[in-house]
Amino acid sequence: MILGILAAPTSYAQEKEEELQPGDFEVIEVSGIRESLTKAMLTKKAASGVVDAISAEDIGKFPDTNLAESLQRITGVSIDRSQGEGSRITVRGFGPDYNVVTLNGRQMPAANIAATSASSSRSYDFANLASEGVSAVEVYKTSLASQPTGGIGSTVNLVTAKPLSNPGRKATITAKGMMDGSTETGSTITPLLSGIYSETFNDDKFGIQLIGSYQERDGGQASAETGNGWYTIKGDGGDWGSLPRDGSFTNLPGPNDVYSVPRNLAYNFDEFTRTRTNGQLTLQYAPTDTLTTTLDYTYSELETRTQRQQLSTWFNGVPAFGEYTPGTNTEGSVMGPVIYADATCCDVGLGTSDASVYNENKSIGFNVEWLASDNLTLELDYHSSTAEAGPQNDLGSDNVVSAVSFDRVLTEVDYSQDFPVMSITYADGVDGLDPSRMSTSGTSLRNSFMKSDIDQLQFRGNYYLDEGVITSIDFGITAMESKNRSAYSVAQRDTWGGYGTADDYPDDIFIQEDLPSRFDDVLGSNGADLEPFYYASNIQDLIGAISAIAAANGETISPCGTRLCMDPNYQVDRRVTETQLAAYVQANMEFEIAKRPVWISAGLRYEDTDVESTALVPQFTTIQWSGANEFNAVIDGETFTTLDGGYDHLLPSFDFKMEVQEDWYVRASYSETITRPGYADIQGGLTVNQLARFNGGTGNAGNPNLLPFESTNIDFSTEYYYGEGSYVSIGYFDKTVDNFIGSDTFVDTIFDLPTPFGGPRYNEAVNALGTDDANAVLEYLRNNFGDPVQGIRGEDPLLPITVTQAVNSDTSRSVDGFEMAVQHIFGESGFGVIVNYTTVDGDVEYDNYNTNKGEGVQNQFVLLGLSDTANAVLFYEKFGWEVRVAWNWRDQFLSATIDGNGERNPTYVEAYDQIDVNVRYEINEDLEVFVEGINVTGEYQRSIGRHPNMLMGIYDVEPRYNVGVRYSF
């Protein structure tokens, strides 16, 4: 394993016998753990900046399905997981959007899609890229003038192998069988095949390298989610969803307590198939010893099909009875539910979905390196890269077709343990879910798309001085154009009151499935009152039945007529072009203080960015009431608007290193860095989300003149090397962030849209019925005033729209922390251990007591993703055996400040740890066999709101195992 810190340019040039050429980074490739750790330690000693690295053999030998799983072993790096696999990284508490990814020093585009909106993320998903195609990963924690801007947290450089660096013929084939017991319907054993071929010709002047990999994985995941969040209430007043004060609830809140009621609860049962294809071709030609040209093409594609079955209930703020945790009726008191029962009727949702998406990445690049003289090296590099993600068929990138039973009269949920136990009371004479009483309700087919293009030209140079304090000067210029398009549409039928009758849907399309067994690994799932079963269905069966009804009625139900499909015409369409020009210079120095060697690298980077942002802005006319709590803005035309913005920065960097005593080093670094806003933050207009609720709608407003995060970074560290392959280190870092970008909201009657809720017709219905039950009132309006039920301008009240807008904070935010690492080899025993721990603290924490409500109240500005992390690796290597046990832990962190209903509520991801195991045996120098285990203890993940009992999501994750063989020839 290689796990160490690489040097900034020229820092190693005058040290030790194994010299690093100035401007290069050494990638150590070894076969044994002990040898690799010793070489990593020497690299760490030589470093001036803080750059952690992992070599290709390290990635290949870890029990990791992708690069993110390996990166989590690095001090200060933690990861987010998707479908049980590593996806995105957080470095020193700064989340995925604060880290920039480069491939061989080239800035890479990223494409992300969201479930129910257009994505605004710039983050890179490491799940797209197989580890076999990468020879090394470098994580720059301190900035250099030569690096691209955008990463406050880090810059991650993916290094691919080059044939001329490995002369001769080399080839490797790896075959794995992945065993994943989480799937209920897929194959429990799926293949992974990879191969590398590299050869040089013509006296090693020409080289070719071809890398390919193919992986399939079938898996599943059971989860429970409060996807629409919790409605937060302060005190004992009469807000929506307030607890009744008639003795039906234990531990009622006092005037100074804060509590929340859930909006829904869903049990989800996912089955997915992931197919990852990667390929890379590299051609090199070195006609002379001073000139090397490289042409490379890299391709990756990840195709994911996810099928979901769901049992869900919606809570419309009708609390019936229950119990909350005791409050203190003092400032800071937040109460959570123990038992919550809601009398909302009547539907039990049995949603099904089947969505296939792709994420495709292409990059072609050309590089020329020229040793112009003994003192001057010049390099010209160009690449054109594209990332694209979207749906694979007309069912969209995300969808739901909801079967339904309308027999619910009460729902009770036990939140006292990790798992929320839901029990449903059905109408008299109905004994639970019954296929003969099922039909369908609403449907929603979403079309989310993103494409990013980057064209980048870089000119770099290094000039080396033969004498004097300054040993070399690095310089360069960069021109880059980045284009991003993120778009979204939804084809939604708001027939939530039911479509057709139960007789229109054959009973045999609903298949009964056991529910408790799907959560048998989760604490609390053995509750006696848990619903005993749910009904699964095939989405095509439901679509077929719906289409038959539509055809019989002569009804158009989607852009495809009587057949359900997504809408290919986007309702949200954001297009951003960022043009960046940059120039840098850096001086590298070596001298002595008190007869002890000192190395300094000091640089300055200037960068100018112009932003052109265009957005599609729909025009709305009124609000239509289509379901009990479903309101839609009616679209009447659309137009594009364009706004411009820009900014420039002068960014200094400084690295200092001194060997104060033999094998004892101290370091200090200073730099200024930026992270650019998300794409939604700088969109060229104001858009309103089509789906609204009775109490208002939501929208988003952009600002292309929004300034980026600006961070001032300070690092101090020291390490002592006390034996062969053994050392101890500790470091302190501080980041002060200005122009903090957070989400704020304001309420306005955008477009002056009238809503029928609360108008004179609504009041007439309430008076006539003697109830404000939403279903009853809506039915009255349809019967007496016609369908659809829409707001009338000049008669009905205007719908308030809560608009979310990114704003720059006037105050600074500070993040600091410590990184500690110990690496020790126990002599010739074959045993060794690596332990690291990172603490991260911010000067502002999210205040769970603050409801963020009230006129003029802004949302809280808090940095997401801050958490402590730790790793421990115990290994043994001797007699051809290699055994590693790796433990990874991440503490609780704040992941969001806006919930699934668009309201200002926090989401925390609770502390999580995982154990991975790797055992391999080298049969001979060409052949080895191995077994890898991921999350061998089957830990599950959980997220919460303001209180531990306010569940946001719990996700059951099963262990996975790989058995394989690797042959080299």
Side-chain angles (χ1 to χ4, degrees):
M1 181 186 66
I2 303 285
L3 186 56
I5 295 180
L6 298 179
T10 77
S11 62
Y12 199 14
Q14 294 83 25
E15 191 167 344
K16 309 299 179 188
E17 293 182 358
E18 51 263 51
E19 282 192 350
L20 265 178
Q21 291 299 316
D24 292 339
F25 289 96
E26 183 181 31
V27 178
I28 305 169
E29 298 201 25
V30 294
S31 57
I33 298 176
R34 178 167 179 168
E35 183 180 0
S36 69
L37 291 177
T38 301
K39 290 187 176 182
M41 185 189 73
L42 294 176
T43 305
K44 182 180 180 72
K45 288 175 67 175
S48 60
V50 182
V51 185
D52 288 332
I54 304 176
S55 77
E57 286 209 5
D58 213 7
I59 294 171
K61 290 188 176 182
F62 256 115
D64 303 327
T65 58
N66 57 30
L67 297 171
E69 297 281 352
S70 292
L71 285 168
Q72 69 176 328
R73 320 293 179 193
I74 290 178
T75 308
V77 178
S78 54
I79 66 173
D80 297 332
R81 291 178 169 87
S82 175
Q83 296 179 331
E85 293 188 28
S87 176
R88 293 170 172 82
I89 66 168
T90 293
V91 181
R92 289 179 165 180
F94 285 83
D97 283 309
Y98 301 94
N99 300 289
V100 168
V101 176
T102 62
L103 181 68
N104 297 319
R106 304 161 176 166
Q107 190 163 338
M108 285 293 103
N112 302 276
I113 55 176
T116 59
S117 65
S119 175
S120 64
S121 177
R122 297 176 183 264
S123 64
Y124 188 86
D125 189 345
F126 287 89
N128 297 323
L129 197 62
S131 60
E132 289 81 5
V134 176
S135 66
V137 180
E138 303 162 347
V139 181
Y140 292 78
K141 298 179 182 176
T142 56
S143 180
L144 296 171
S146 58
Q147 292 173 346
T149 58
I152 285 179
S154 70
T155 298
V156 180
N157 186 36
L158 309 178
V159 182
T160 60
K162 304 294 189 296
L164 294 187
S165 300
N166 300 280
R169 176 184 295 175
K170 294 178 174 60
T172 300
I173 295 177
T174 301
K176 292 183 183 181
M178 176 180 290
M179 294 177 287
D180 191 336
S182 65
T183 181
E184 296 285 328
T185 62
S187 177
T188 56
I189 301 178
T190 51
L192 184 152
L193 300 173
S194 64
I196 301 174
Y197 167 74
S198 177
E199 188 165 2
T200 57
F201 307 90
N202 193 21
D203 296 328
D204 298 332
K205 292 182 178 180
F206 177 76
I208 181 173
Q209 179 178 270
L210 183 64
I211 300 175
S213 68
Y214 176 83
Q215 178 188 355
E216 294 179 3
R217 179 193 168 202
D218 289 341
Q221 185 175 77
S223 63
E225 292 182 315
T226 310
N228 290 91
W230 295 72
Y231 188 79
T232 304
I233 305 167
K234 182 178 180 181
D236 54 2
D239 200 349
W240 180 92
S242 296
L243 301 185
R245 314 194 74 80
D246 56 4
S248 55
F249 274 84
T250 302
N251 296 326
L252 282 171
N256 297 307
D257 293 316
V258 166
Y259 70 101
S260 299
V261 295
R263 289 185 177 273
N264 74 316
L265 180 62
Y267 294 151
N268 306 311
F269 308 101
D270 293 351
E271 290 289 325
F272 55 82
T273 297
R274 297 164 69 95
T275 303
R276 182 187 294 115
T277 305
N278 280 203
Q280 185 181 81
L281 174 65
T282 304
L283 302 174
Q284 283 192 295
Y285 179 56
T288 69
D289 292 339
T290 61
L291 183 67
T292 301
T293 61
T294 303
L295 177 67
D296 57 80
Y297 177 77
T298 302
Y299 175 85
S300 70
E301 183 179 47
L302 177 63
E303 298 174 307
T304 305
R305 180 186 182 186
T306 303
Q307 297 171 286
R308 167 170 289 188
Q309 305 292 332
Q310 184 181 79
L311 175 69
S312 64
T313 55
W314 176 266
F315 304 142
N316 205 27
V318 191
F321 63 85
E323 177 186 355
Y324 272 67
T325 57
T328 62
N329 196 26
T330 59
E331 185 174 347
S333 174
V334 178
M335 303 169 60
V338 179
I339 301 292
Y340 178 83
D342 191 279
T344 299
C345 80
C346 298
D347 57 316
V348 177
L350 295 159
T352 184
S353 63
D354 187 345
S356 298
V357 298
Y358 69 93
N359 194 307
E360 186 178 52
N361 299 266
K362 303 175 184 178
S363 178
I364 186 168
F366 181 72
N367 180 277
V368 179
E369 292 183 72
W370 179 37
L371 182 60
S373 68
D374 291 340
N375 299 85
L376 178 63
T377 299
L378 300 176
E379 181 179 357
L380 183 67
D381 186 273
Y382 171 79
H383 80 99
S384 179
S385 302
T386 299
E388 181 176 308
Q392 289 187 299
N393 55 51
D394 65 3
L395 291 180
S397 55
D398 186 83
N399 53 56
V400 61
V401 177
S402 186
V404 66
S405 170
F406 288 103
D407 297 313
R408 176 172 62 114
V409 296
L410 184 77
T411 308
E412 180 180 347
V413 184
D414 183 347
Y415 291 100
S416 62
Q417 298 191 67
D418 283 357
F419 181 80
V421 176
M422 179 167 61
S423 174
I424 301 173
T425 300
Y426 294 89
D428 292 342
V430 178
D431 186 18
L433 294 172
D434 182 352
S436 68
R437 301 177 63 83
M438 293 180 188
S439 58
T440 65
S441 58
T443 61
S444 184
L445 286 78
R446 299 123 186 181
N447 177 14
S448 184
F449 173 83
M450 179 180 279
K451 183 177 181 181
S452 294
D453 300 293
I454 289 181
D455 291 292
Q456 185 179 34
L457 180 66
Q458 300 180 84
F459 172 75
R460 295 184 285 257
N462 311 91
Y463 184 76
Y464 310 105
L465 288 80
D466 295 325
E467 58 185 21
V469 172
I470 299 178
T471 58
S472 66
I473 296 175
D474 306 328
F475 55 90
I477 57 175
T478 298
M480 187 176 79
E481 182 180 74
S482 173
K483 294 183 177 180
N484 176 272
R485 183 187 184 191
S486 53
Y488 175 78
S489 68
V490 58
Q492 180 160 307
R493 296 167 55 250
D494 294 309
T495 53
W496 305 108
Y499 189 68
T501 68
D503 293 337
D504 295 318
Y505 300 88
D507 293 355
D508 60 4
I509 69 173
F510 303 107
I511 309 300
Q512 188 181 102
E513 301 283 357
D514 182 70
L515 193 152
S517 63
R518 299 300 304 271
F519 295 103
D520 54 8
D521 297 330
V522 181
L523 181 64
S525 62
N526 59 349
D529 295 329
L530 180 62
E531 283 295 297
F533 54 82
Y534 66 99
Y535 278 89
S537 56
N538 184 289
I539 194 170
Q540 293 297 343
D541 289 339
L542 295 182
I543 289 176
I546 292 170
S547 296
I549 299 172
N553 295 338
E555 183 182 1
T556 298
I557 60 173
S558 83
C560 297
T562 59
R563 180 179 63 86
L564 291 178
C565 69
M566 71 178 189
D567 189 347
N569 300 307
Y570 297 118
Q571 295 144 10
V572 177
D573 196 345
R574 298 191 293 253
R575 306 175 187 189
V576 176
T577 298
E578 293 171 311
T579 304
Q580 301 169 25
L581 295 174
Y584 72 88
V585 63
Q586 178 173 295
N588 306 293
M589 294 164 272
E590 181 184 359
F591 53 93
E592 291 185 348
I593 297 178
K595 298 184 178 181
R596 302 306 303 173
V598 173
W599 296 265
I600 288 178
S601 294
L604 191 65
R605 182 184 183 91
Y606 172 77
E607 184 147 335
D608 179 81
T609 301
D610 291 325
V611 180
E612 180 183 273
S613 183
T614 300
L616 179 68
V617 179
Q619 305 298 304
F620 298 100
T621 58
T622 187
I623 297 297
Q624 178 175 309
W625 191 359
S626 51
N629 194 32
E630 302 289 339
F631 295 78
N632 290 298
V634 178
I635 298 177
D636 181 21
E638 56 194 23
T639 184
F640 278 97
T641 60
T642 299
L643 299 174
D644 297 320
Y647 44 85
D648 61 351
H649 290 84
L650 197 61
L651 305 170
S653 61
F654 179 86
D655 290 317
F656 170 90
K657 182 185 75 171
M658 181 176 182
E659 187 179 16
V660 294
Q661 292 184 10
E662 185 176 1
D663 295 325
W664 178 22
Y665 292 82
V666 296
R667 308 172 191 271
S669 295
Y670 172 89
S671 64
E672 296 179 13
T673 53
I674 64 172
T675 284
R676 292 180 171 82
Y679 294 117
D681 299 337
I682 54 176
Q683 72 175 8
L686 187 153
T687 58
V688 173
N689 298 320
Q690 192 173 5
L691 181 64
R693 301 299 182 192
F694 77 95
N695 58 342
T698 58
N700 295 277
N703 177 13
N705 272 309
L706 196 67
L707 296 175
F709 290 87
E710 298 175 0
S711 179
T712 301
N713 317 298
I714 298 174
D715 286 76
F716 298 101
S717 63
T718 183
E719 59 267 351
Y720 177 63
Y721 302 86
Y722 59 87
E724 183 180 354
S726 301
Y727 70 89
V728 58
S729 68
I730 184 170
Y732 170 80
F733 60 88
D734 179 271
K735 296 176 181 289
T736 301
V737 182
D738 295 315
N739 295 333
F740 190 92
I741 301 172
S743 296
D744 191 22
T745 58
F746 63 89
V747 179
D748 200 353
T749 54
I750 306 298
F751 298 119
D752 292 335
L753 303 178
T755 173
F757 188 90
R761 291 172 296 162
Y762 173 88
N763 294 329
E764 176 186 323
V766 171
N767 293 331
L769 296 170
T771 178
D772 61 358
D773 178 78
N775 283 307
V777 172
L778 178 57
E779 189 64 23
Y780 180 96
L781 294 177
R782 285 171 173 166
N783 293 334
N784 289 274
F785 298 98
D787 192 15
V789 179
Q790 296 182 345
I792 300 174
R793 193 173 299 274
E795 176 180 311
D796 289 320
L798 301 180
L799 183 77
I801 307 292
T802 301
V803 179
T804 300
Q805 184 176 38
V807 294
N808 290 118
S809 173
D810 294 332
T811 58
S812 299
R813 297 287 186 262
S814 179
V815 175
D816 66 347
F818 288 90
E819 293 182 336
M820 295 154 278
V822 176
Q823 178 177 298
H824 185 76
I825 295 177
F826 296 91
E828 300 300 323
S829 67
F831 286 96
V833 64
I834 304 168
V835 178
N836 60 59
Y837 185 84
T838 302
T839 67
V840 181
D841 291 307
D843 61 350
V844 177
E845 294 184 356
Y846 192 92
D847 181 5
N848 290 323
Y849 185 73
N850 181 355
T851 64
N852 303 302
K853 291 184 176 182
E855 186 176 352
V857 175
Q858 292 187 343
N859 199 14
Q860 300 181 52
F861 291 104
V862 182
L863 191 63
L864 306 179
L866 297 183
S867 65
D868 296 350
T869 58
N871 290 279
V873 179
L874 176 65
F875 63 87
Y876 172 81
E877 182 190 35
K878 207 167 188 180
F879 308 121
W881 286 96
E882 181 180 309
V883 181
R884 275 184 283 196
V885 179
W887 172 77
N888 173 262
W889 169 83
R890 184 179 185 183
D891 201 3
Q892 179 171 295
F893 64 93
L894 180 70
S895 63
T897 59
I898 302 292
D899 66 15
N901 206 52
E903 297 186 6
R904 301 171 176 178
N905 290 308
T907 299
Y908 298 91
V909 176
E910 289 191 330
Y912 175 81
D913 65 335
Q914 178 172 308
I915 296 176
D916 301 329
V917 178
N918 182 304
V919 179
R920 63 185 63 237
Y921 179 67
E922 186 180 273
I923 298 175
N924 55 50
E925 64 179 11
D926 296 323
L927 180 64
E928 67 177 17
V929 293
F930 54 86
V931 178
E932 304 165 341
I934 302 100
N935 188 27
V936 295
T937 57
E939 302 299 320
Y940 56 84
Q941 297 175 280
R942 191 170 186 267
S943 58
I944 59 173
R946 298 174 186 270
H947 188 279
N949 287 24
M950 296 179 189
L951 175 97
M952 298 299 293
I954 187 165
Y955 307 91
D956 191 15
V957 182
E958 300 291 336
R960 302 195 309 277
Y961 298 93
N962 298 327
V963 178
V965 58
R966 178 181 290 109
Y967 183 73
S968 302
F969 53 91

